[in-house]
Amino acid sequence: MAGGAQTRQAEAGKRYDVFHTDCAARDVVDHVTSRWGVWVLISLRSNNLRFYELRDSIQGISEKMLAQTLRALVQDNLVWREVEPTTPPQVTYGLTDFGRDIGEPLTELFDRITRRLPPVAQ
């Protein structure tokens, strides 16, 4: 049966069926909620950052994982990428309107979590 349940696309005005494996919205959710996707979106919420600034702001992420995560988020139109033609090239990243819209509830979630945790011992 061609065009089975798992490959259905959203019709005009209808929602995506995120419980099916071939749903485009599911891919975006997977990228946002990946191990590093959340941290990239939160790191970019206030400022546009260059690649190395972004890497330094997220402790524990390798350059390879940051590059892969950014590539997926740019493809999903959550993050924009600007390359300055210098030697070496300087690449800056920032949130698109869609990325800000998705990042806002993530920021709120982390704010709620940190408010409920016990104070950090000094």
Side-chain angles (χ1 to χ4, degrees):
M1 174 163 128
Q6 291 198 0
T7 59
R8 286 182 295 175
Q9 297 294 319
E11 295 175 27
K14 293 192 177 182
R15 298 177 66 96
Y16 285 90
D17 193 352
V18 295
F19 292 102
H20 287 91
T21 57
D22 293 337
C23 178
R26 188 174 179 161
D27 289 339
V28 174
V29 170
D30 287 345
H31 295 151
V32 168
T33 60
S34 70
R35 179 171 182 186
W36 301 111
V38 169
W39 302 115
V40 168
L41 292 174
I42 288 178
S43 292
L44 291 172
R45 72 179 178 244
S46 304
N47 307 328
N48 301 333
L49 297 172
R50 292 212 166 115
F51 182 87
Y52 289 106
E53 293 172 324
L54 190 51
R55 185 202 62 198
D56 291 346
S57 74
I58 306 171
Q59 293 184 5
I61 193 168
S62 68
E63 287 186 21
K64 177 183 175 185
M65 287 310 303
L66 178 58
Q68 287 177 357
T69 302
L70 286 167
R71 194 173 305 117
L73 295 174
V74 166
Q75 183 178 355
D76 293 336
N77 195 33
L78 295 166
V79 172
W80 55 261
R81 177 182 190 266
E82 181 180 306
V83 180
E84 295 178 36
T86 59
T87 305
Q90 294 183 344
V91 183
T92 304
Y93 295 90
L95 293 178
T96 63
D97 288 338
F98 183 33
R100 275 191 291 285
D101 192 35
I102 297 301
E104 191 175 309
L106 294 175
T107 300
E108 185 178 326
L109 172 67
F110 283 97
D111 288 346
R112 286 180 180 204
I113 290 169
T114 56
R115 281 194 307 265
R116 299 287 242 140
L117 291 174
V120 177
Q122 294 185 14

